[in-house]
Amino acid sequence: MKVKNNVTWVGIEDFFVKNFHGDSYSTPLGTSYNAYLIQEEKTVLIDTVNASFADEFVKQLESTIDLNTIDYIVIQHGEIDHSGGLVALLEKIPDTPIYCTEECMFTLKGHFQQPFNFNLVKTGDTLKIGPGKELFFIEMKMLHWPDSMATYLSGDHILFSNDVFGQHLALENKFINSENLKLALEEAQKFYANVLTPFSKMMKAKLKQLLDYHFTIDVIAPGHGSIWTSHVKEIMQAYDVWSGSYSEDYVVIIYDTMWNGTKVLADNIADGIRAEDADLEVDVMSIRHISENDIMHAIFRSKIMLIGSPTVNNGYLSSVAGLLNTIRGLRFKDKKAATFGCYGWSGESTKQIKEHLLHSGVEIIEQELTSSWVPNDDKIYQAQQFGRLIAKKARA
Ligand code: FEO
């Protein structure tokens, strides 16, 4: 599939994958492993595909070109979803030079234990591939691995960005247009929230560095999902906003429940928010029914998160523990929260969740809302009033 001039997409669309990284990233819309072929005086392959598609990838590439004409392979990130086709490919064309960062060399050696022909590059290094066509390498350390890198192709003005600007989407139409833009931005934001949030400070600095090069960028070709053949400024500006203290006028209520009491609190808090401020967006999310990634995406968007669990064994439910662990790991910036939950006799859950959130850098904005046993009418009223208070604080 032609991207621009002599650049073609040679990746794989994975329509059926529903969980990625083991079970750690939900991909209800599938994903793609984007690899690109540049055929100038020199022929260059940028990245490969997930290991599970290695043979299909090589076969498909063989049907496109004589593999022996590939002069260079650029590997921008060693994670298996991008480097997983290397071994099968190099069985056909051993010793083909691989251009990558030093950290990526360590990753590839660690993954494959093979004596590849490494050519190490740093930011600012270039590789001439034809008249007016040069690859310019840009290290993208910790965006999101130490080995990550982007590559700018002069002449065609294409930025190959690997994971950055990507989306987990499998699509027949690879190119961004006005019809699929909204979905691409939503999925790019989910990707940012779940993968890049801990590195926002570095992301912001990297965006500035990219702008300081004054490259013309007509196309952003990421490692997953749609290719930004249009709306390039829009996705770059979105990243700039997301890498700051991002939030929307949105409250998310996240809970798990044992005998429905904590669910009743969650639903009545939401009713109170809606009654106070009909224009404030609010979602109620059951940890057991919504993927952790969608919940993290919701937290990323939120002005306030409310987290509820009943008390069990002097603590909170293990499902909530997993969620809190991920919140801590993602190091969200400037987030606010409060907690709620039912209990029978000891009632530690809400305080413990609050402590965990405080240690994760989240500001606690309100006393916990608790209910001894199942919420009665008074408690339901109290939950609705709690919701009204949260709505006011979300607008403050
Ligand atoms: Fe798409 Fe970090 O791998």
Side-chain angles (χ1 to χ4, degrees):
M1 185 185 305
K2 180 173 166 174
V3 176
K4 186 176 181 184
N5 298 332
N6 298 321
V7 178
T8 50
W9 175 86
V10 290
I12 293 282
E13 294 295 321
D14 189 351
F15 288 95
F16 301 109
V17 62
K18 297 299 170 220
N19 288 293
F20 192 71
H21 283 166
D23 268 346
S24 74
Y25 197 112
S26 61
T27 52
L29 303 172
T31 191
S32 65
Y33 314 108
N34 293 342
Y36 302 92
L37 192 66
I38 308 170
Q39 292 169 284
E40 293 292 337
E41 272 182 9
K42 299 291 185 185
T43 297
V44 185
L45 176 69
I46 307 250
D47 292 328
T48 69
V49 300
N50 201 346
S52 52
F53 290 92
D55 291 341
E56 186 178 335
F57 167 70
V58 172
K59 212 166 157 189
Q60 179 181 283
L61 200 56
E62 260 178 328
S63 71
T64 308
I65 53 159
D66 174 357
L67 296 181
N68 291 300
T69 62
I70 296 176
D71 296 290
Y72 314 122
I73 300 170
V74 174
I75 295 293
Q76 303 187 106
H77 174 29
E79 202 165 6
I80 295 292
D81 53 321
H82 303 284
S83 65
L86 259 186
V87 172
L89 179 62
L90 290 175
E91 275 172 13
K92 306 264 183 179
I93 46 169
D95 298 328
T96 307
I98 296 174
Y99 286 75
C100 66
T101 63
E102 184 178 22
E103 291 85 352
C104 190
M105 174 185 73
F106 295 136
T107 309
L108 297 175
K109 282 184 173 178
H111 280 157
F112 303 121
Q113 288 100 38
Q114 302 249 352
F116 295 148
N117 177 7
F118 290 108
N119 288 255
L120 304 185
V121 293
K122 290 192 163 96
T123 296
D125 287 350
T126 56
L127 182 62
K128 198 160 177 51
I129 59 171
K133 302 285 171 79
E134 189 174 74
L135 299 178
F136 182 98
F137 301 108
I138 307 153
E139 289 165 275
M140 304 282 278
K141 273 186 207 292
M142 297 316 299
L143 299 169
H144 69 119
W145 274 21
D147 66 2
S148 299
M149 179 174 84
T151 307
Y152 178 72
L153 171 58
S154 67
D156 290 330
H157 310 306
I158 300 175
L159 180 70
F160 300 95
S161 59
N162 197 264
D163 278 331
V164 172
F165 306 122
Q167 332 96 53
H168 282 306
L169 279 175
L171 295 164
E172 297 290 353
N173 179 3
K174 290 296 294 173
F175 305 116
I176 300 280
N177 56 39
S178 54
E179 279 170 25
N180 59 24
L181 176 64
K182 186 168 177 286
L183 177 65
L185 283 170
E186 280 170 9
E187 288 299 320
Q189 190 185 62
K190 176 179 168 179
F191 189 96
Y192 189 98
N194 280 279
V195 177
L196 290 162
T197 295
F199 315 111
S200 281
K201 205 171 160 188
M202 285 176 257
M203 190 70 246
K204 202 163 248 324
K206 188 56 66 175
L207 289 168
K208 184 178 178 313
Q209 186 188 359
L210 284 173
L211 289 176
D212 287 347
Y213 286 132
H214 298 292
F215 289 143
T216 300
I217 302 175
D218 292 337
V219 176
I220 292 179
H224 301 287
S226 311
I227 300 169
W228 300 89
T229 43
S230 63
H231 302 277
V232 166
K233 267 194 190 144
E234 205 159 336
I235 185 61
M236 290 187 78
Q237 278 166 0
Y239 258 61
D240 191 42
V241 173
W242 298 340
S243 58
S245 293
Y246 183 74
S247 68
E248 300 173 17
D249 290 334
Y250 174 56
V251 176
V252 61
I253 304 170
I254 304 155
Y255 73 94
D256 201 354
T257 193
M258 289 168 71
W259 296 106
N260 244 26
T262 301
K263 179 183 185 319
V264 169
L265 290 181
D267 289 339
N268 279 281
I269 294 168
D271 286 350
I273 292 172
R274 292 186 188 108
E276 180 66 31
D277 187 341
D279 294 328
L280 184 64
E281 188 184 354
V282 57
D283 277 326
V284 180
M285 294 187 162
S286 157
I287 293 172
R288 268 184 280 160
H289 298 101
I290 296 183
S291 84
E292 187 179 85
N293 307 112
D294 287 329
I295 293 175
M296 292 304 138
H297 186 188
I299 290 173
F300 179 76
R301 293 179 54 221
S302 72
K303 200 139 274 171
I304 298 173
M305 67 178 105
L306 304 176
I307 300 187
S309 171
T311 294
V312 59
N313 298 333
N314 305 107
Y316 42 79
L317 288 170
S318 58
S319 57
V320 177
L323 184 96
L324 292 173
N325 196 42
T326 306
I327 290 173
R328 180 178 285 181
L330 286 178
R331 304 200 292 271
F332 291 104
K333 268 205 245 173
D334 301 323
K335 290 297 173 193
K336 295 175 179 170
T339 64
F340 64 96
C342 292
Y343 66 96
W345 49 97
S346 57
E348 294 92 340
S349 68
T350 51
K351 282 194 173 54
Q352 289 184 9
I353 295 170
K354 187 176 84 175
E355 288 305 314
H356 194 112
L357 289 170
L358 281 168
H359 283 117
S360 305
V362 176
E363 182 188 348
I364 300 298
I365 55 160
E366 192 49 54
Q367 282 292 316
E368 328 64 283
L369 173 70
T370 60
S371 174
S372 171
W373 303 110
V374 173
N376 59 19
D377 287 348
D378 282 350
K379 195 54 73 174
I380 284 172
Y381 177 74
Q382 204 181 320
Q384 290 170 353
Q385 293 305 109
F386 184 83
R388 284 183 178 272
L389 190 65
I390 294 296
K392 284 183 194 145
K393 292 204 169 186
R395 294 293 195 183

